[in-house]
Amino acid sequence: MSHTITPELVSLDVGLGADKAAVIRALAGRVVAQGRATDADALFDDAWAREQKDETGLPGGIAIPHAKSAAVTEPSLAFARLAPGVDFGAPDGPADLVFLIAAPEGAAEAHLAVLSKLARSLMQDDFTSGLRAAGSSGEVVSIVRKAIGEEDAAPTAAAASVAPVSSAPVAAPAATSTAPGLDVDGRPARIVAVTSCATGIAHTFMAADALTAAGKKNGIDLTVEPQGSSGYQALPQGVIDNADAVIFATDVDVREQQRFAGKPVVRSGVKRGIEQPNELIAEAVAAAKNPNATRVAAGGGSGSTAAVATENLSWGARIQRILLTGVSYMIPFVAGGGLLIALGFLLGGYQVTDDAYDVVVQNALWDLPAGGLGQYLGSVAFVIGATSMGFLVSALAGYISFAIADRPGIAPGFVAGAVAVLMSSGFIGGIVGGLLAGFVALAIGRLNAPRWLRGLMPVVIIPLIASIVASGLLILFLGRPIATLMEWLNTWLTDVANTSGIIIVGVILGLMMCFDLGGPVNKVAYAFAVAGLAEASAQNSTPYLIMAAVMAAGMVPPLAMALASTVLARNMFTPVERENGVAAWLLGASFISEGAIPFAAADPLRVIPASMVGGAVTGGLSMAFGVQSLAPHGGIFVFFAINPFWAFAVSIIAGTVVTAFLVVAFKRFIAPKELEAAEASSLTATAVPA
């Protein structure tokens, strides 16, 4: 295995740019210049995407931007000692020691282990002080190679203190005394922890070492399971069973979470495991002593949104995350089904709905109906699409419940969604049913069931009771009132469609689609539109009008940001924003509103109002022109399902131009200082889907 770091990858006492993007780009360029990666832009993009998920600045003036990238051909470390330091998001100020950790996309376990050793070394004060005192690139390389095991040397304090990098559980050595308040039943607390990050290279092992060191310092029995990219060695089940509480310091799902079922749990992001290990331990001990503490749900497995949720979220934020999860899982059913229905109309004509099911059952390729091959294939596409669309409410409810209670919530959520359809309560009934099923399943899963019963909990007990409660409440009490509300709403929209008021509906939907760019308000408007498609027909065209207005308005923000940043006023946007603008052309054309999020996150008080104005213009024009869309997704690529397409295009162009010129005007005539304070608070409120 070749050396991971060389003198040519080291920069000492230099300034590589005014911000972290410039520093990462410069280090990526250094890796490419040494022939260890093929594309500096691709490596930067991968590292920057990781940085956007969670800043990589750490206490002590350290930053470790990192990524797995297809552009990397050889695992590499590029190091810079910056003068002055640059803010990487650490709580205690700028970073002066920056390592870019670049791993190939399919890096071997041995390579990942080397890179992970570096992360662990950074937790040692003598290692970082040695880097700050180094007088040459060669000295830096020697220090790093000794720490990561690529250079033989007599054990130094830094090298000797670095634990061998493996994914085996790490236990805190016993201490002579326990810190006050960290005992349980008169003995030192017993805590188990899991750490994991998105790449599984750096933060995973740094958090494991920080928690281990804090456990030793506080005199408790703490064992950590790092779940890294190269795999993990599961904690012995006996250690888990004897633990008083669990710490999940993770940014991704905990693998085989059901092993910890019933244990009091404290959840956080992986960086908190690095920065606040003592606080996490104190919270875990407090949870162990609290009979009402949050517990790991029975049967909790991988893939759970609940697994990465934190107890620090407000109820509003939790509900938002839950609903967005349900909608995101529902969209493939809707998009695929809607496009198939549109294809069915294209092949078989609008009359295909009259006897599509009979044609599919009674005819075949060798026994075509009277309408010929077009009618037969159109009927097949329509029936498959309608079947997929039939799962809309059930999938919405099922995955809302899944977001709350993990896998045990899926079955009761799907059942509740099906009951909502039975009761004609639509997608609102599905949302209510999914929430009921999820919270009931979560409550049951938190019960401290006897060990002999735990195996039955996720597959029998939880689905049975949660289905009875959630679906029973819908049938007995909630279904009919919700159905009445949906009936009133549909009747009102149908009546409005026959008057000039339909334009106002388009304006409102346009405003909603552009308010938070893929957030909950956007998703409510979209879910309302696609749910109506199931009731649409040649006689009831209102849902088609609504779908067209929603899709057209949702395309405006990314297209407008692309127009403004790449054509109208390039000098008003940063290089990164201009790159995002190029991508936003395709995203907008595909009806992916999230393409405007990078712009809104950086400048919300200019971008969002401008987007809403343009979206309102587009929604209103779409309704005024009577544009209909038979497809729920796809943007301009489903032109065959949009009628008249020219009016659809004109509506989008009008809104795009309005928004683009407004953004440019806002940037030119509203000074940044006038919005600086307001934007600081608004940034945290901008909805960005997970």
Side-chain angles (χ1 to χ4, degrees):
M1 185 169 62
S2 61
H3 288 307
T4 308
I5 186 170
T6 64
E8 293 75 20
L9 293 172
V10 175
S11 303
L12 294 182
D13 304 320
V14 296
L16 297 183
D19 57 28
K20 61 182 180 180
V23 174
I24 295 173
R25 189 177 293 279
L27 292 176
R30 183 67 61 91
V31 174
V32 172
Q34 297 307 309
R36 306 171 77 96
T38 57
D39 187 333
D41 288 336
L43 176 54
F44 168 79
D45 289 341
D46 291 331
W48 188 249
R50 174 65 184 86
E51 194 75 25
Q52 295 297 92
K53 292 178 182 177
D54 190 10
E55 295 179 308
T56 55
L58 299 170
I62 302 166
I64 50 167
H66 55 279
K68 289 184 188 176
S69 176
V72 177
T73 57
E74 188 174 356
S76 303
L77 299 174
F79 171 75
R81 192 169 68 197
L82 300 177
V86 170
D87 183 11
F88 272 76
D92 59 349
D96 64 322
L97 301 181
V98 181
F99 278 98
L100 174 64
I101 304 176
E105 198 166 43
E109 182 174 346
H111 291 144
L112 294 174
V114 168
L115 299 178
S116 301
K117 280 185 180 181
L118 169 73
R120 288 185 144 165
S121 301
L122 289 168
M123 302 302 295
Q124 311 300 326
D125 291 338
D126 46 2
F127 177 74
T128 54
S129 62
L131 293 175
R132 288 190 171 95
S136 67
S137 298
E139 190 175 348
V140 168
V141 168
S142 179
I143 292 172
V144 175
R145 285 182 182 172
K146 289 174 184 175
I148 63 179
E150 288 187 354
E151 182 172 305
D152 294 332
T156 63
S161 61
V162 178
V165 174
S166 74
S167 293
V170 183
T176 56
S177 62
T178 304
L182 297 184
D183 61 309
V184 176
D185 297 331
R187 56 166 172 75
R190 294 192 289 258
I191 307 294
V192 292
V194 175
T195 62
S196 63
C197 65
T199 57
I201 297 173
H203 288 78
T204 298
F205 296 98
M206 296 176 79
D209 284 353
L211 286 167
T212 301
K216 176 183 178 182
K217 175 182 175 182
N218 289 294
I220 68 167
D221 182 358
L222 190 148
T223 307
V224 186
E225 177 182 293
Q227 295 188 349
S229 288
S230 57
Y232 70 102
Q233 182 177 329
L235 290 166
Q237 191 60 46
V239 173
I240 297 174
D241 292 341
N242 291 328
D244 300 307
V246 181
I247 296 172
F248 290 154
T250 62
D251 286 341
V252 294
D253 298 339
V254 175
R255 288 172 255 184
E256 296 185 284
Q257 189 181 156
Q258 68 272 13
R259 296 172 292 150
F260 305 91
K263 292 293 180 182
V265 62
V266 173
R267 302 180 190 268
S268 80
V270 71
K271 278 191 72 177
R272 190 164 179 239
I274 301 171
E275 297 171 356
Q276 300 177 347
N278 293 309
E279 289 84 348
L280 281 176
I281 289 172
E283 291 172 19
V285 175
K289 298 177 181 179
N290 180 6
N292 298 317
T294 300
R295 294 178 180 271
V296 180
S302 62
S304 164
T305 298
V308 294
T310 69
E311 275 64 42
N312 294 327
L313 290 177
S314 67
W315 271 108
R318 291 186 192 185
I319 295 299
Q320 172 182 321
R321 175 179 287 186
I322 288 165
L323 294 180
L324 291 180
T325 298
V327 171
S328 67
Y329 278 102
M330 175 196 77
I331 285 175
F333 290 93
V334 175
L339 290 172
L340 281 168
I341 290 174
L343 184 61
F345 285 130
L346 177 68
L347 295 173
Y350 281 93
Q351 72 279 4
V352 74
T353 59
D354 296 340
D355 50 10
Y357 290 93
D358 291 337
V359 168
V360 168
V361 172
Q362 298 175 9
N363 297 99
L365 283 172
W366 55 88
D367 181 20
L368 295 174
L373 183 62
Q375 182 187 4
Y376 180 71
L377 294 179
S379 298
V380 170
F382 177 83
V383 168
I384 296 173
T387 302
S388 178
M389 289 287 287
F391 287 104
L392 187 156
V393 176
S394 292
L396 177 64
Y399 287 107
I400 284 174
S401 181
F402 165 75
I404 300 169
D406 208 326
R407 286 184 296 180
I410 293 179
F414 266 84
V415 173
V419 169
V421 173
L422 175 68
M423 301 297 293
S424 301
S425 55
F427 84 97
I428 294 179
I431 291 173
V432 173
L435 291 172
L436 287 172
F439 283 117
V440 171
L442 180 65
I444 299 170
R446 285 179 171 175
L447 296 176
N448 192 12
R451 184 170 181 79
W452 61 268
L453 188 60
R454 290 179 189 172
L456 293 176
M457 291 289 285
V459 295
V460 178
I461 307 299
I462 296 175
L464 173 65
I465 298 177
S467 296
I468 292 172
V469 174
S471 298
L473 287 173
L474 280 176
I475 292 174
L476 296 175
F477 302 107
L478 301 174
R480 287 311 306 157
I482 296 174
T484 301
L485 173 64
M486 293 295 295
E487 183 179 352
W488 173 84
L489 187 59
N490 287 328
T491 301
W492 175 75
L493 282 172
T494 302
D495 292 341
V496 170
N498 297 321
T499 70
S500 60
I502 193 65
I503 297 176
I504 303 301
V505 175
V507 169
I508 293 171
L509 291 172
L511 291 170
M512 293 176 69
M513 288 299 295
C514 299
F515 175 72
D516 52 3
L517 308 175
V521 176
N522 170 288
K523 287 295 189 283
V524 165
Y526 180 72
F528 173 74
V530 296
L533 287 180
E535 305 298 328
S537 66
Q539 295 73 34
N540 177 24
S541 63
T542 302
Y544 296 142
L545 296 172
I546 292 172
M547 191 70 253
V550 163
M551 182 151 64
M555 296 166 65
V556 166
L559 289 174
M561 294 306 106
L563 178 62
S565 63
T566 65
V567 178
L568 296 181
R570 289 175 54 85
N571 62 319
M572 291 186 176
F573 295 86
T574 67
V576 173
E577 286 177 323
R578 291 196 292 271
E579 290 176 7
N580 288 331
V582 173
W585 283 113
L586 179 60
L587 294 174
S590 305
F591 179 39
I592 301 176
S593 302
E594 290 86 344
I597 283 176
F599 300 91
D603 196 2
L605 295 185
R606 294 181 182 86
V607 171
I608 290 177
S611 296
M612 292 176 67
V613 173
V617 169
T618 294
L621 285 175
S622 177
M623 288 295 193
F625 286 135
V627 181
Q628 298 182 21
S629 174
L630 281 66
H633 215 292
I636 64 172
F637 300 103
V638 291
F639 61 91
F640 58 85
I642 300 171
N643 183 45
F645 183 74
W646 69 265
F648 182 74
V650 167
S651 301
I652 294 170
I653 291 170
T656 297
V657 170
V658 168
T659 293
F661 276 99
L662 278 176
V663 166
V664 172
F666 289 165
K667 284 182 175 290
R668 179 166 296 164
F669 298 114
I670 302 179
K673 291 183 179 179
E674 296 176 19
L675 293 177
E676 193 174 65
E679 287 187 350
S681 60
S682 178
L683 279 170
T684 59
T686 302
V688 181

